[in-house]
Amino acid sequence: MDTTFETEQAHLTETYAKLVSIHDALAGQIETMQRDATQDLKDMSEEVRIDFGGADETIETLAAIETLNSVIDTYNQYHDFTVEKLKRVSLLLRQPYFAKVRLKMRPGRPARDVYIGTAGITDEHKLPLIVDWRSPIAETYYNQENGETSYEVDGRRRTVFLELRRQFDITRDRLNMYFDTTVAIEDSLLLNALKKHHTEKLQAITATIQHEQNEVVRHADVPVLLVSGIAGSGKTSVLLQRIAYVFYHERKTLSPDQVFLFTPNQVFESYVDTVLPTLGESNPLIFTWRSFLASLGLADHGTGKDVDPAELAELEHTVQSMTVEDDDLRAVKVDDLTVLKVSQVASAIKKYSQFPVGPKLVALVKDELHDKVDRRLTQMSKDEEVQEKVLGLDIEEQVEIFGRTISPSDEEETAACTLEYLEHRYSSAHDEVEKLSWLRIDRIGMRVLHKSDLSAAEWVYLKILISGSGDKNARYVMVDEVQDYTVTQLMVLARYFSRAHFLLLGDEHQAIQEGTATFPQIRDIFASSHGEVEECQLLTSYRSSPEITELFCSLLDADERRKLTSVHRPGVAPKIVECADRDSYLDELRRCVDEARGEEGLTAIVADNAGRVNWLSKQLGDGVPVMGRGEKLPAAGIVIMDLPLAKGLEFDHVIVPDAQAETYPDTPLARRRLYTAISRAMHQVTLVSQGELSPLLPRVGTASGAGMPTAE
């Protein structure tokens, strides 16, 4: 008889019953509150008598309305609080907690059991029933150190004694098993999780966050944190846990629209979009580089990915010494009306010509143009033809525009109504002023750079230099797969989000395109824009079996391999097949596909490029669907995709169809591309060559490369 199991099951049963009770009570409160609120508001509304007949009556009416609004606000606040708490309890009912620590807080005092879950909740006595994994005391679990350990609360480090670190596998109110563990390699929950097959959505790693990952998740808030992690080290999972951690600690001041997440592609975006909701948090704003440019209205421009960063430096050097010419300007228009002529824009710039081109000049000119717009609309309000149009509006149009019916009694009142109409009709003129539509940024850039057109990257960068624009509201920007961005792209992001803190995650060995930024270049860019760059490393592979990890790590130099570790989880040896000709090559691929159909999980054929995907698709038939960029990963089956699309994803079985020397020669770029392709595999990897095998791979029938150290 396992008395510990019985004791923990009894505690779980009791806790679950309390959660059910809290859930039912909250649901009842919401129902009662909605009913009472409806009745109270009805009663109060009936008591309010709208009377603006005199000063006293108006004051009383306004006071009554203010009281009613105050009651509504109170109900709304309490409703939102209760709903948020109900959401947390509903989350916990799926799995109340995943761990417990026994802590001796002070010598001579009995130890305290702390149960840790994806959310926190208190009992009827306002005592912690379950603590949130992001709470300060939960840090003791992630430290993975029995004995003396510590956690930080309110800026102070508190030392405690960890007597027990226990993990649970729980389904609702049923305890499946428990583990008492200390160090990462003995982390039973982790090892159990690693045995599982691919899922169509990335899963949260809350219960299995390892020590080096926790250092990133709980890292102090700094202007820039650069994380270098090998393939399979959980970079993306850590990024999402970090976002959840930040939301928790800044929930009073931080909203999801202040956090930006940049992902490699749309498939990757759909792969990660459920993680934060399962943790009780909303998703941030998610972009690829292309969708970011599209959000700025630049979808029809070239992306600027390949722009020489020296051209951005040239813009920065030149902008303050240049002059704005009349040909650089546009009229301010709304539909068919020219609100401000080019000459009027030019006169506003001339008024402040003592200032160099830059944010101060633009701010002054915008203020001047806003005044000119107001004066133009005021002038138009006196036009009899326009006044007649306003007076001819039907009742529905009047209510839509004014929020009331109008019946002006004299010329002054008619002009006032006409002005109100014009301000409504042409309000976008002020928007055009703010957007700098009056300034031909493209023409200025082309003149400075001596080019016939301007890319999106150059356009955005120049606009920031001229106007100081960018997103001033953004507080955090997270960039995954940062090694795939060029120096130009990162310079634009650093400038555009100048006030935000950055988390940059990547793996230099997965830089699969020429011309992308190196880590030293990334450091220099952000050190220049944001100050000092702090760094962390993730050196343990959790995705792939030791055999697969050994193979892709054999593509690294010996010094790098010595720094890396892999979680011991024996699997299937990589299969490498060298085919003499096209027919035998296709036969082998078809045989691999047929075998994969009988396997659990998801198999991906990862081809070198899109052209090769199309050719292979024709050869393998309709039974192997091509993965499109806007599609979601299936949970199982077989798909074919190119290497850039596979970035950041993982699969149970990966087939690399063109492992020949022609596709993967002994070059740094080919080495990184092969490393990336192989490292997508969790349990199996098969490499098939048409002709001579890549020199980067061990010969058929030999061991899969030099070994790498594993955790002791």
Side-chain angles (χ1 to χ4, degrees), residues 83-137:
V83 168
E84 194 278 332
K85 189 174 181 179
L86 181 62
K87 185 170 71 172
R88 280 187 282 129
V89 175
S90 299
L91 188 66
L92 292 173
L93 284 172
R94 302 173 195 169
Q95 184 191 48
Y97 46 82
F98 57 81
K100 143 179 150 176
V101 289
R102 182 169 292 157
L103 301 172
K104 181 167 283 190
M105 312 300 289
R106 285 178 288 192
R109 299 290 298 274
R112 170 188 169 191
D113 285 347
V114 178
Y115 287 84
I116 303 168
T118 54
I121 201 76
T122 57
D123 62 16
E124 67 273 17
H125 306 297
K126 307 300 180 183
L127 297 174
L129 184 64
I130 302 163
V131 303
D132 193 293
W133 69 275
R134 297 162 289 189
S135 66
I137 201 169

Side-chain angles (χ1 to χ4, degrees), residues 371-579:
D371 289 341
K372 286 178 179 286
V373 169
D374 289 338
R375 289 197 295 271
R376 174 67 196 286
L377 296 181
T378 300
Q379 183 185 22
M380 289 175 62
S381 70
K382 299 173 183 177
D383 186 283
E384 291 183 1
E385 188 174 332
V386 180
Q387 291 180 353
E388 288 178 7
K389 183 177 180 179
V390 173
L391 294 173
L393 295 171
D394 60 36
I395 293 177
E396 289 184 358
E397 290 175 315
Q398 291 178 29
V399 172
E400 181 183 351
I401 296 170
F402 301 100
R404 66 188 190 282
T405 59
I406 61 170
S407 181
S409 58
D410 53 35
E411 290 185 7
E412 184 178 347
E413 193 173 345
T414 299
C417 289
T418 303
L419 179 58
E420 190 174 351
Y421 164 81
L422 291 170
E423 288 173 341
H424 172 85
R425 174 68 176 82
Y426 298 108
S427 61
S428 59
H430 289 290
D431 297 332
E432 296 300 309
V433 170
E434 283 297 317
K435 291 189 302 183
L436 271 61
S437 64
W438 46 272
L439 191 61
R440 296 185 60 185
I441 292 175
D442 52 348
R443 190 185 184 284
I444 296 172
M446 289 186 290
R447 188 172 73 250
V448 172
L449 298 175
H450 308 289
K451 299 175 69 171
S452 59
D453 62 354
L454 215 62
S455 72
E458 292 163 321
W459 192 96
V460 174
Y461 202 79
L462 181 56
K463 184 178 181 182
I464 297 170
L465 292 173
I466 291 175
S467 67
S469 62
D471 195 321
K472 309 300 185 188
N473 184 55
R475 291 180 55 191
Y476 294 95
V477 177
M478 319 290 191
V479 182
D480 204 3
E481 305 288 352
V482 70
Q483 78 282 343
D484 289 341
Y485 288 76
T486 65
V487 170
T488 295
Q489 289 173 309
L490 294 175
M491 287 174 67
V492 170
L493 293 180
R495 278 274 187 179
Y496 190 83
F497 300 103
S498 59
R499 296 182 181 179
H501 285 190
F502 277 80
L503 174 62
L504 312 168
L505 300 97
D507 178 4
E508 286 187 284
H509 306 298
Q510 294 187 62
I512 63 173
Q513 304 291 342
E514 292 282 14
T516 53
T518 64
F519 269 51
Q521 288 174 320
I522 294 170
R523 293 186 197 102
D524 289 345
I525 292 166
F526 286 93
S528 175
S529 63
H530 285 68
E532 186 178 357
V533 177
E534 297 195 21
E535 297 185 54
C536 290
Q537 289 185 309
L538 300 174
L539 301 176
T540 304
S541 174
Y542 304 103
R543 173 189 298 138
S544 306
S545 67
E547 295 85 355
I548 296 171
T549 303
E550 180 182 349
L551 179 59
F552 70 70
C553 284
S554 71
L555 299 168
L556 309 178
D557 63 47
D559 288 341
E560 289 178 302
R561 289 202 301 271
R562 280 192 287 269
K563 300 176 185 177
L564 309 180
T565 60
S566 172
V567 174
H568 265 296
R569 189 179 43 137
V572 179
K575 184 178 181 180
I576 303 174
V577 183
E578 186 179 69
C579 302

Side-chain angles (χ1 to χ4, degrees), residues 684-697:
Q684 294 184 67
V685 65
T686 302
L687 299 103
V688 183
S689 75
Q690 182 181 340
E692 183 183 357
L693 190 70
S694 167
L696 302 173
L697 292 169

